């Protein structure tokens, strides 16, 4: 897989970087490493490409995304007896976690630490087209597919030779058939977006069974939240039921108010829920085209500053509002083909 990357000597970078097409390196940094460490650095950068970190960032913070990617691949490489350069980010709590999940777990202040990448070495940059401009969604999808083919072929050859470590074998299967627990990401997003104090004195029991040691919220109160529901014809009733169950779970665990805003091409109605309304049921109101603007207008018109806004949609729309002053999570009911202009994205599966 490393032979797919074009080597570029780059004295402007601190260590090394890749954008899925090239592998840039600072020769002074390379000279400071042993041969095993150089191999480890190359493996690290190649795995960024194999995991499609260069095309999956979307609107996430670049430094924080790089840290999450490092955490995801370094544990696998270290467990596979790959020698990594000094300063490798290694944290056992992120073992076997998807990069998107790790991203939500990393404290936001960490994104300002370190160098350009926020990490001890290596950097993953966004993919670039041949003319140096930002590639289109179809170009990025093609790049991701090409790397999936490359890692599948490489894994087959290594497996046939008996040289495929178990950890990398599992990672290959995750890349080819990715599975992200959208429910866990949703709950973690809600908690990290809330303006409450946390305590490490007692772990959050909600995540212990998933192998996550996270702080618990001192207060059980959360600021009011907005749930926007795309009621165009493509949202199925079973998907609405799944989403309603997760909203009920949030209301059962915290004292908060949730405003549900229904819209297709325009505002179609709203409901307000608290824990006294459990279990809740979502209604499909409307059924026309789609615009992402009405829910944000409703929030502004009602003078609400929510902890966050979560949008259930099929993402089949190009009409985005201006970026708001609160966190936004897009929960897509189908594989994402279009990156929103702001917010984080997870796929419901």
């Amino acid at each position: 897989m490393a032979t797919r990357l074009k080597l570029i000597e780059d004295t402007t970078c601190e260590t090394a970087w890749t954008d899925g097409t090239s592998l840039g390196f600072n020769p002074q940094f390379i000279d400071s490493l042993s041969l095993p460490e150089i191999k480890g650095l190359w493996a690290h950068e190649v795995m960024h490409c194999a995991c499609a970190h260069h095309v999956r960032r979307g609107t996430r913070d670049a430094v924080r995304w790089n840290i999450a990617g490092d955490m995801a691949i370094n544990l696998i490489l270290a467990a596979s007896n790959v020698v990594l350069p000094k300063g490798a980010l290694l944290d056992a709590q992120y073992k076997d976690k998807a990069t998107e999940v790790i991203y939500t777990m990393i404290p936001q202040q960490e994104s300002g630490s370190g160098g350009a990448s926020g990490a001890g070495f290596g950097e993953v940059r966004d993919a670039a087209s041949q003319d140096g401009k930002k590639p289109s969604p179809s170009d990025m999808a093609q790049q991701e597919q090409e790397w999936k083919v490359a890692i599948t072929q490489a894994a087959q050859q290594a497996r046939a030779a008996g040289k495929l470590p178990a950890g990398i074998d599992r990672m290959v299967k995750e890349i080819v058939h990715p599975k992200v627990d959208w429910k866990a990401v949703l709950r973690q997003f809600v908690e990290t977006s809330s303006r409450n104090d946390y305590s490490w004195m007692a772990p959050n029991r909600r995540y212990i069974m998933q192998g996550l040691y996270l702080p618990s919220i001192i207060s059980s109160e959360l600021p009011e939240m907005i749930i926007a529901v795309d009621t165009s014809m493509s949202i199925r009733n079973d998907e609405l039921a799944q989403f309603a169950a997760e909203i009920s779970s949030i209301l059962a665990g915290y004292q908060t108010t949730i405003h549900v805003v229904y819209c297709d091409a325009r505002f179609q109605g709203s409901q307000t829920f608290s824990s006294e309304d459990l279990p809740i049921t979502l209604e499909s109101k409307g059924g026309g085209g789609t615009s992402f603007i009405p829910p944000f207008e409703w929030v502004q018109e009602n003078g609400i500053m929510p902890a966050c806004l979560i949008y259930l949609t099929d993402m089949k729309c190009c009409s985005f509002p201006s970026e708001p002053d609160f966190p936004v999570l897009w929960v897509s009911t189908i594989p994402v083909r279009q990156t929103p202009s702001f917010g984080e994205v997870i796929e419901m599966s």
Side-chain angles (χ1 to χ4, degrees), residues 61-80:
D61 177 78
V63 175
R64 198 167 158 211
W65 176 251
N66 192 88
I67 293 173
D70 282 3
M71 293 292 190
I73 61 180
N74 283 346
L75 286 170
I76 296 173
L77 291 172
S80 303

Side-chain angles (χ1 to χ4, degrees), residues 123-275:
E123 181 184 355
V124 59
R125 299 180 179 178
D126 291 342
S129 60
Q130 293 182 351
D131 57 6
K133 298 180 180 179
K134 183 178 180 179
S136 65
S138 61
D139 290 336
M140 290 192 292
Q142 181 178 349
Q143 287 195 37
E144 182 175 1
Q145 184 59 35
E146 289 174 353
W147 273 101
K148 281 185 178 181
V149 172
I151 192 173
T152 300
Q153 293 175 342
Q156 290 175 342
Q157 294 174 9
R159 193 179 292 112
K163 295 182 178 180
L164 184 63
I168 294 181
D169 192 15
R170 287 193 299 271
M171 188 191 72
V172 171
K173 293 176 182 178
E174 278 290 319
I175 292 171
V176 179
H177 303 289
K179 293 181 180 179
V180 177
D181 187 348
W182 70 272
K183 297 177 183 178
V185 176
L186 173 63
R187 293 169 188 166
Q188 182 69 16
F189 176 82
V190 169
E191 293 185 3
T192 55
S193 299
S194 65
R195 296 181 289 274
N196 282 284
D197 293 329
Y198 289 81
S199 172
W200 288 96
M201 295 299 291
N204 191 326
R205 296 182 180 179
R206 184 189 300 270
Y207 297 100
I208 289 179
M209 294 301 293
Q210 301 175 40
L212 304 179
Y213 188 88
L214 301 176
S216 59
I217 295 179
I218 296 176
S219 170
S220 60
E221 296 183 3
L222 294 179
E224 55 190 334
M225 298 166 17
I226 306 296
I227 305 293
V229 179
D230 178 356
T231 56
S232 60
M233 298 295 289
S234 54
I235 303 296
R236 304 194 311 266
N237 289 332
D238 63 315
E239 292 168 339
L240 279 175
Q242 286 186 65
F243 204 64
E246 291 309 305
I247 296 174
S248 296
S249 176
I250 294 170
L251 286 172
Y254 304 101
Q255 298 174 25
T256 187
T257 299
I258 295 181
H259 303 284
V260 179
V261 181
Y262 300 95
C263 72
D264 43 30
R266 58 183 182 273
F267 173 75
Q268 294 291 350
S270 65
Q271 291 178 287
T272 299
F273 298 104
S274 67
S275 58

Side-chain angles (χ1 to χ4, degrees), residues 259-311:
H259 303 284
V260 179
V261 181
Y262 300 95
C263 72
D264 43 30
R266 58 183 182 273
F267 173 75
Q268 294 291 350
S270 65
Q271 291 178 287
T272 299
F273 298 104
S274 67
S275 58
E276 297 177 355
D277 301 310
L278 294 172
I280 70 170
T281 302
L282 299 181
E283 303 173 5
S284 182
K285 301 178 180 180
T290 303
S291 172
F292 292 141
I293 297 177
F296 296 88
E297 291 180 336
W298 185 91
V299 171
Q300 187 174 12
E301 291 170 359
N302 286 272
I304 299 174
M305 177 51 71
C308 60
L309 184 148
I310 301 169
Y311 212 128

